[in-house]
């Protein structure tokens, strides 16, 4: 390699390395919002940021170091220099905006693709709520207050939501907003991964299953795969009847 080429290569690497070193992320393994931010960081070539894996079960998200940047005591808690972004959507938008010239371009230029990306991103909020109503029901609702009718209704609501996404994926192409990986995929893929982690039958939702299969080995996703999923590859069967 000639000295000139090496110099230009070093110049292209140094800013992203310096930027990453000024970032801190507090996160939890398997958390959909945390995983979104980690995928975005990988896509923008911002490896090497400071990070700390915390446990919800041990209440580590309520620790003083988290509360110092996130008074809600929630994860993710993300800081870049003096800039704090604790909402996963906000952090992902920020990373794309500040580092748009490096890594993957996550917001398409075309108005049609951009409109579809924004639409699917924000529909991800409803998707995640409906998933959470099923998989976290026993966690949040005391045993004496649980009702079979509520569980059934939540499962039916999630099934209807999944049919919407089956239709979206049938029309969109390989990814949620067309033929390119975008912020919509950063936001929604962790939801889809959790569906199959909790036992969703792939044969009932073939388009969602194909989307999952397409993206699960993407470098940014493999690099940020929840560590406890690697340790325990088999998940739960909460969604086997959805």
């Amino acid at each position: 390699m000639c000295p000139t080429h090496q110099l230009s290569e070093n110049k292209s690497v140094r800013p992203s390395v310096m930027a990453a070193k000024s970032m801190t992320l507090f996160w939890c393994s398997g958390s959909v919002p945390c995983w979104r931010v980690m995928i975005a960081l990988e896509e923008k070539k911002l490896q090497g940021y400071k990070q700390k894996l915390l446990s919800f079960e041990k209440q580590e998200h309520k620790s003083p170091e988290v509360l110092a940047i996130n008074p809600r005591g929630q994860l993710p808690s993300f800081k870049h220099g003096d800039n704090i972004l604790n909402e996963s959507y906000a952090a992902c938008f920020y990373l794309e905006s500040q580092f748009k010239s490096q890594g993957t371009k996550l917001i398409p230029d075309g108005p049609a693709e951009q409109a579809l990306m924004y639409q699917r991103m924000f529909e991800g909020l409803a998707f995640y709520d409906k998933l959470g109503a099923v998989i976290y029901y026993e966690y949040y609702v005391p045993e004496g207050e649980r009702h079979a009718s509520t569980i059934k209704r939540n499962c039916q609501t999630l099934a209807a939501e999944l049919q919407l996404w089956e239709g979206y994926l049938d029309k969109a192409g390989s990814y949620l907003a067309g033929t390119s990986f975008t912020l919509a995929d950063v936001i929604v893929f962790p939801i889809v991964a959790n569906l199959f982690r909790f036992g969703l039958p792939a044969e009932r939702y073939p388009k969602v299953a194909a989307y999952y299969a397409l993206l699960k080995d993407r470098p940014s996703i493999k690099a940020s795969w929840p560590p406890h999923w690697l340790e325990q590859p088999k998940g739960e069967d909460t969604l086997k009847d959805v």
Side-chain angles (χ1 to χ4, degrees), residues 131-207:
L131 171 62
V134 178
I135 64 176
Y136 299 132
Y137 185 76
E138 292 186 2
Y139 181 81
Y140 286 114
V141 180
E143 187 174 359
E145 298 176 21
R146 297 172 196 160
H147 299 283
S149 59
T150 301
I151 295 172
K152 181 180 179 181
R153 183 171 62 250
N154 289 344
C155 286
Q156 289 173 338
T157 300
L158 177 58
E161 182 73 17
L162 279 160
Q163 288 300 337
L164 282 177
W165 290 89
E166 279 284 296
Y168 294 159
L169 287 162
D170 190 39
K171 296 175 182 176
S174 301
Y175 302 99
L176 288 176
T179 58
S180 299
F181 185 90
T182 69
L183 277 180
D185 302 292
V186 172
I187 292 293
V188 174
F189 177 81
I191 303 171
V192 172
N194 269 270
L195 288 166
F196 293 103
R197 176 72 179 178
F198 282 84
L200 187 76
E203 65 275 8
R204 285 189 204 150
Y205 304 97
K207 297 297 182 183

Side-chain angles (χ1 to χ4, degrees), residues 99-149:
F99 302 98
K100 62 177 65 176
S101 63
Q102 70 182 50
T104 307
K105 182 181 178 65
L106 294 173
I107 298 180
D109 291 325
E113 293 83 1
Q114 200 174 109
L116 186 57
M117 182 208 73
Y118 285 123
Q119 180 63 33
R120 296 293 175 257
M121 278 186 71
F122 285 92
E123 282 188 86
L125 292 167
F127 197 4
Y128 187 40
D129 282 347
K130 290 169 185 176
L131 171 62
V134 178
I135 64 176
Y136 299 132
Y137 185 76
E138 292 186 2
Y139 181 81
Y140 286 114
V141 180
E143 187 174 359
E145 298 176 21
R146 297 172 196 160
H147 299 283
S149 59

